[in-house]
Amino acid sequence: MLNPEIYDRITPAGAEILRRHAISCSANVREALNLINSLSGESMTLFVIDPYGCLAGTVTDGDIRRALITGAELSDAVESVMHRAYLSLLPGEDCWLTIAECRKRHIALLPVVDKGHITDILDLRTMKTRLPIDAVLMAGGRGERLRPLTLTTPKPLLPVGGKAIIDYNVDELERCGVDRIFVTVNYLAHKIEEHFGKRRGRAEITCIREPKRLGTMGSLAFVEGLECDNVLMMNSDILTTIDFEKLYLQHKKSGADLTMAAVPYTVSVPFAIMKMDGGKVKGLEEKPTYNYFANGGVYLMRRALLDRIVRGEYLDAPDFISALISDGGAVGCYPIEGTWIDIGSPDDYRYANDLMKRKVF
């Protein structure tokens, strides 16, 4: 019999996994095989729990098969065949190398262990990594250019491919192991709150009501409960295949205070452009093409920067970033590879739905 207290120390998502995969160290090999057999379609790994509620080891069908070949009996204690040198994480540990090793060894479930007790279990079949960041999604806009669609539905909840726009971003953040997601709301706030009140997923999602329209950055002053050193802030109404892990790694490696995701943008002029010196033409450039990086509406910043935001004052991202640069702050650029759509017009909305038919996301 397992001590029920083991579920009190673990995240809800981890507890759900542990209830199916936990076995007492007093159980025998036959009981372990029966439990593994019931996990058809899941990872066939068991977590062996000792009388004190601590993780003693792991057992797979392969461990049992090898033990039986060497003479083990079905009546033997599962403790005698378990794997003691299991891979695990510490709370808050940077985990890329450990996750890479798990994938190399085809390990699907990775426990997070604190003083012997499991505090979480990462399912690497649905999670790509575990980024040590908090996320804030801006969902307070009125979506006026998309009316009448947004008269009764806030833009982040408009369906694209049968799924709300904002849910594509939330799902990807969950796949990256982000545990805390905050959604700032204003226009039709109750509908977004109801949406996330019904949603079930790994991350804890908290809606923050703006007392008034505060701009892209202004609402951040009302977000409480941020714990990580870095915060991802993004517009909730964009569809993008941005790699959040690569964004984070570049941000950390560069030492930037804030890293902006950027969208390559090309302007082709269909005429010859004159090169002028005062009123004189000095030359012609035939149909030139100019390449730029445009703001992609995704920002990763040090949490300490939030102290620069005055509570209750309107503040947009360009003003915030310009002031940071003027004060000597380091601002980096991360080019987005792949798809990026700002759904701001009916044409953008139709294009996004067409992309979903081609299964781009």
Side-chain angles (χ1 to χ4, degrees):
M1 177 70 69
L2 291 171
N3 187 339
E5 290 183 1
I6 65 171
Y7 302 108
D8 297 336
R9 304 183 180 94
I10 192 169
T11 63
E16 184 178 339
I17 296 173
L18 189 61
R19 285 188 176 91
R20 300 192 301 274
H21 292 261
I23 190 168
S24 170
C25 62
S26 63
N28 59 36
V29 173
R30 184 187 299 276
E31 290 172 307
L33 276 175
N34 284 332
L35 183 53
I36 288 173
N37 190 56
S38 71
L39 296 172
S40 178
E42 298 188 53
S43 172
M44 294 188 176
T45 299
L46 302 181
F47 297 102
V48 183
I49 308 299
D50 71 13
Y52 304 100
C54 295
L55 178 60
T58 61
V59 171
T60 66
D61 56 341
D63 293 327
I64 294 176
R65 184 172 61 252
R66 287 185 288 273
L68 292 175
I69 290 173
T70 57
E73 301 289 339
L74 291 176
S75 58
D76 291 346
V78 69
E79 192 175 18
S80 66
V81 302
M82 72 181 182
H83 189 65
R84 298 175 186 271
Y86 54 84
L87 287 176
S88 65
L89 294 173
L90 294 171
E93 177 186 354
D94 284 349
C95 58
W96 297 285
L97 290 177
T98 305
I99 288 178
E101 181 63 20
C102 286
R103 296 199 188 284
K104 181 179 176 182
R105 291 163 56 175
H106 304 290
I107 295 172
L109 299 179
L110 177 61
V112 180
V113 180
D114 184 17
K115 298 178 182 178
H117 298 285
I118 298 177
T119 60
D120 199 1
I121 298 174
L122 309 187
D123 187 344
L124 301 183
R125 297 168 305 166
T126 59
M127 185 183 295
K128 298 191 297 187
T129 185
R130 193 184 197 197
L131 298 179
I133 62 175
D134 295 318
V136 181
L137 302 182
M138 303 301 175
R142 302 180 68 86
E144 293 179 349
R145 288 183 294 160
L146 279 167
R147 289 185 174 181
L149 294 174
T150 53
L151 287 175
T152 57
T153 302
K155 183 164 69 165
L157 295 188
L158 289 178
V160 173
K163 179 174 169 180
I165 297 169
I166 194 172
D167 284 343
Y168 287 98
N169 297 314
V170 170
D171 289 348
E172 185 59 24
L173 289 169
E174 285 188 323
R175 280 191 286 271
C176 290
V178 178
D179 292 328
R180 286 176 300 278
I181 300 175
F182 300 85
V183 181
T184 62
V185 296
N186 184 290
Y187 177 66
L188 297 177
H190 66 284
K191 294 207 169 183
I192 298 177
E193 291 168 344
E194 289 170 3
H195 175 79
F196 285 113
K198 298 174 183 176
R199 189 181 188 278
R200 294 294 175 265
R202 177 181 178 82
E204 176 186 351
I205 301 177
T206 304
C207 291
I208 308 294
R209 283 209 182 199
E210 295 177 310
K212 59 181 180 180
R213 293 188 66 189
L214 292 168
T216 319
M217 290 290 184
S219 59
L220 284 172
F222 291 86
V223 178
E224 298 179 353
L226 297 170
E227 297 181 9
C228 296
D229 292 336
N230 289 282
V231 179
L232 178 85
M233 195 280 286
M234 68 181 293
N235 298 335
S236 65
D237 52 8
I238 59 176
L239 286 176
T240 177
T241 54
I242 186 174
D243 190 321
F244 290 115
E245 183 176 21
K246 287 184 179 179
L247 168 63
Y248 175 78
L249 290 174
Q250 178 177 310
H251 176 71
K252 290 290 287 184
K253 184 178 180 180
S254 69
D257 296 307
L258 182 148
T259 300
M260 303 174 61
V263 183
Y265 191 79
T266 299
V267 177
S268 297
V269 181
F271 311 105
I273 298 299
M274 293 181 287
K275 296 180 180 179
M276 305 294 294
D277 182 8
K280 296 181 179 180
V281 177
K282 294 296 185 180
L284 293 172
E285 186 176 2
E286 184 67 26
K287 298 180 180 178
T289 296
Y290 302 100
N291 296 307
Y292 302 97
F293 280 116
N295 182 2
V298 181
Y299 316 88
L300 185 59
M301 70 186 82
R302 293 191 298 108
R303 185 176 50 148
L305 294 184
L306 301 185
D307 293 339
R308 300 171 63 93
I309 302 173
V310 179
R311 189 179 177 93
E313 289 191 6
Y314 187 94
L315 181 62
D316 271 330
D319 296 326
F320 177 83
I321 294 168
S322 295
L324 177 62
I325 294 171
S326 295
D327 292 340
V331 176
C333 169
Y334 173 79
I336 296 175
E337 299 175 354
T339 301
W340 180 91
I341 308 171
D342 177 12
I343 302 178
S345 69
D347 286 342
D348 295 328
Y349 186 55
R350 283 190 290 270
Y351 176 57
N353 276 286
D354 287 342
L355 279 183
M356 290 305 161
K357 293 176 183 177
R358 290 180 262 158
K359 299 181 179 179
V360 172
F361 286 81

